[in-house]
Amino acid sequence: MSEDLSRACVLLSNDDGIHAEGLAVLEEITRTLSNDVWVVAPEVEQSAASHSLTLRRPLRERKLGDQRYSIDGTPTDCVLMAIKYLMQDTQPDLVLSGVNIGANLGEDVIYSGTVAAAMEGAILGVRSVAFSLRPDEENDGRFHWDTVRKFGPEIIQKLACWTEPGNLLFNVNFPGVPPERIEGIRVCRQGHRDEGTTVVEGKDPGGRPYLWVGQFVSHHTSVPNADLTAIGENYITVTPLKYDLTDHAVLSRMDGLFS
């Protein structure tokens, strides 16, 4: 892709929904770089939808403006419908997803609809980037959008124009601190938390028991050079991902196992 993104066609999506603040911030940033921006996002929030597709009912599009649509489906549905239907005559050069409210680090990427939207773009042959923003470390209801506004354009520019070939997929996470506290941008691997998520037990107002998926007990990881560690040190993390889940090291050791 040319270093001049002004002529690039960019598709934006997310999992927080068409009216999400993070999508508005991403659109604001992208419009400073490109003159051809499409927005196709879920009608309502689809957090933790992962890479699910809607197969058992029809999908409905709603045109909200010029090159702006909502889809009553998942993030994956949105990117698929955009590239295969809405943008048939103008294929995107770049897919950007987010900015998600809350980080997508470590094993979060497996559950994340934000990452899934970007991954669908990569599967369909388009370089794609997922963006997420961690809440403030002292106030989880506060998000430092100015950090995204300051560093987002440079990250988009460099990832979009990097000369490495292929339909690459990147996962970017911003720490929950203001711009002046950012230590830098670090390329690192996907981590894995040392402790898993919790399951909460309770009873509803009618006295019936329920189970509720809780939060991760800890964000600590033993994996070296991991996104979880770097973001805790106030670095913006950039992690290259791939949708080939094959464990190639184990694959080579399995040769002859079933012969």
Side-chain angles (χ1 to χ4, degrees), residues 5 26 50 60 86-88 92 99 146 153 171 179 228:
L5 290 182
L26 184 60
S50 188
R60 300 188 188 277
L86 297 170
M87 302 176 69
Q88 291 181 74
V99 175
D146 285 348
N171 185 36
L228 287 157

Side-chain angles (χ1 to χ4, degrees), residues 7-14 18 23 26-27 30-31 34-41 61 63 65-70 78-79 81-98:
R7 295 185 179 182
C9 178
V10 185
L11 169 63
L12 307 184
S13 194
N14 71 350
I18 189 71
L23 182 62
L26 184 60
E27 183 177 358
T30 306
R31 290 193 182 280
S34 170
N35 297 319
D36 189 6
V37 178
W38 290 67
V39 180
V40 183
E61 66 183 80
K63 187 170 185 178
D66 186 32
Q67 299 186 176
R68 185 179 190 86
Y69 297 84
S70 67
C78 292
V79 175
M81 294 300 163
I83 294 177
K84 292 292 188 179
Y85 175 70
L86 297 170
M87 302 176 69
Q88 291 181 74
D89 299 325
T90 311
Q91 288 296 284
D93 301 297
L94 184 67
V95 172
L96 304 179
S97 179

